[in-house]
Amino acid sequence: IVDSGIATAENRKLFTAEGFDFLANDSRTGRKKYAAWFRENTAFTAIPDREGRSEVLVRRLKDPLAEDPEQADTLILCKSEGRREKEDAILSQAEQRFLEAIARLRARIEKGRGTKREALERAVGRMLAKHPRVARYYHIELVETTGAPFVLRCERKQDAYEEAGELHGCYVLRTNQADPGADAAELWHLYMILTRAEDGFRALKSDVGLRPNRHHRQDRVDSHVLISVLAYHLLHWITYTLRKQGDTRSWATIRRILSTHAYATICLFTRDGARYRIRKAGLPDEEQKRIYQSLGISWKGLPASRTAG
């Protein structure tokens, strides 16, 4: 299971030649090639058991654009409502920033700050380069007029904008596995394992502080990998155990909830001058108790210590 950065056409051929099955996410730009098949809504089925979460529709088919139909990869076309909303929001915010930049450049022209076409064209070029996500959907033109040196015209390419919007939330999974028994939903669930692994290693690098260092000795590299793998297995056990109990929240959410339950040290002094330190866990709230119960942890049995001196 690999992401789009590794699953290049050359690497996919190498996987197949070496006898490996692969399941990969095509690049986002590649989904446009399959726009016609994404529009066939009746061919999609919903991923089951996603109550309370955004809908995901999937469709399995042989790559219709393959040069050799006999050797064609199997595609899983996916449409995610949650991802569509996210892409819509990203584009909307990017478009707002782009239009604000257009307004600033127009104000600059109206104030007479820059009357040479070459200087204004460079300014337009810099603006387009700074907003590539949105600039491709707009036609920008400097027009000479009689009332003012130049007028900046900005027009949205509505057809291209709407065509791109139709593909928001869509993505393509690709595999060379020809097993007809593996349906689209099963392959989609299999690919989601990669996202869990990515989330896990992101947590290791941030929360646990296991960001890779520039080790120069093999034994240190081996130790770092071993600790990272052990930490990942522990993290996976926690999230897997919670999912079995119906708790599908991310590790970041679980960590935030549990972060307020901490140990406290109480110092006690006797009349003869002796000092005792008692260290024990505080009282968890009801949500924290539910998490501990799902993990099979008795919060009443958390270790406590007592030291003198």
Side-chain angles (χ1 to χ4, degrees):
I1 305 176
V2 293
D3 61 19
S4 57
I6 298 176
T8 61
E10 182 179 353
N11 284 343
R12 295 199 303 266
K13 291 179 181 178
L14 179 62
F15 295 151
T16 303
E18 294 295 329
F20 290 101
D21 290 336
F22 66 82
L23 178 60
N25 187 4
D26 262 10
S27 64
R28 188 175 64 178
T29 56
R31 65 186 177 183
K32 187 176 181 180
K33 299 183 297 183
Y34 304 101
W37 290 272
F38 274 115
R39 295 191 186 101
E40 297 174 353
N41 295 325
T42 57
F44 286 80
T45 58
I47 297 291
D49 302 325
R50 288 185 59 82
E51 290 81 2
R53 290 178 287 175
S54 60
E55 184 180 54
V56 177
L57 304 176
V58 291
R59 175 189 183 185
R60 173 173 174 160
L61 73 163
K62 282 289 187 179
D63 189 349
L65 304 180
E67 297 179 359
D68 184 359
E70 296 295 329
Q71 301 296 325
D73 291 334
T74 296
L75 302 182
I76 308 298
L77 304 186
C78 310
K79 296 199 287 188
S80 168
E81 181 64 22
R83 183 175 289 200
R84 184 190 66 78
E85 293 175 356
K86 181 179 179 180
E87 289 192 56
D88 285 346
I90 291 174
L91 181 60
S92 177
Q93 293 172 4
E95 185 175 27
Q96 181 179 352
R97 291 192 294 269
F98 176 74
L99 294 178
E100 289 172 354
I102 290 287
R104 288 194 296 270
L105 184 55
R106 278 178 173 162
R108 171 185 167 184
I109 295 173
E110 291 172 359
K111 292 179 180 179
R113 295 171 54 191
T115 56
K116 295 183 178 180
R117 173 177 286 274
E118 294 79 5
L120 293 176
E121 287 178 345
R122 287 196 297 270
V124 170
R126 288 193 298 269
M127 181 184 60
L128 296 179
K130 189 175 180 180
H131 302 273
R133 186 187 296 272
V134 182
R136 54 187 168 178
Y137 303 127
Y138 280 83
H139 176 70
I140 309 296
E141 184 181 11
L142 278 172
V143 180
E144 295 187 26
T145 62
T146 55
F150 295 100
V151 172
L152 182 65
R153 291 182 179 175
C154 174
E155 182 179 358
R156 180 198 277 179
K157 302 174 185 177
Q158 195 62 30
D159 291 342
Y161 187 88
E162 293 178 356
E163 182 181 354
E166 289 180 357
L167 291 175
H168 283 182
C170 299
Y171 56 99
V172 181
L173 303 182
R174 180 184 297 271
T175 180
N176 62 347
Q177 189 181 62
D179 180 11
D183 61 13
E186 181 180 353
L187 291 170
W188 181 86
H189 279 295
L190 185 61
Y191 183 76
M192 288 299 106
I193 295 175
L194 177 62
T195 62
R196 295 193 192 118
E198 290 173 340
D199 290 342
F201 281 104
R202 186 179 301 112
L204 296 183
K205 289 188 291 184
S206 56
D207 301 340
V208 187
L210 288 178
R211 185 171 295 278
N213 299 314
R214 296 181 180 274
H215 297 301
H216 298 283
R217 288 174 46 179
Q218 186 62 42
D219 57 342
R220 292 183 178 177
V221 173
D222 294 342
S223 299
H224 188 99
V225 171
L226 175 61
I227 294 173
S228 298
V229 171
L230 290 176
Y232 173 72
H233 277 278
L234 178 59
L235 176 62
H236 177 70
W237 177 84
I238 293 172
T239 54
Y240 174 73
T241 303
L242 291 175
R243 284 199 303 273
K244 288 177 63 178
Q245 300 295 324
D247 190 339
T248 59
R249 290 175 293 187
S250 67
W251 163 248
T253 300
I254 298 297
R255 177 179 177 271
R256 177 178 55 79
I257 294 173
L258 295 178
S259 63
T260 57
H261 184 217
Y263 268 78
T265 301
I266 304 171
C267 294
L268 301 175
F269 296 87
T270 63
R271 292 180 178 178
D272 58 3
R275 180 171 60 179
Y276 294 92
R277 293 185 180 89
I278 301 175
R279 184 164 178 78
K280 61 182 300 183
L283 181 65
D285 60 31
E286 293 303 316
E287 186 59 34
Q288 292 166 344
K289 289 179 182 178
R290 280 193 288 269
I291 294 174
Y292 289 142
Q293 184 177 5
S294 297
L295 294 173
I297 298 173
S298 173
W299 63 270
K300 295 181 179 179
L302 292 175
S305 64
R306 174 183 171 181
T307 58

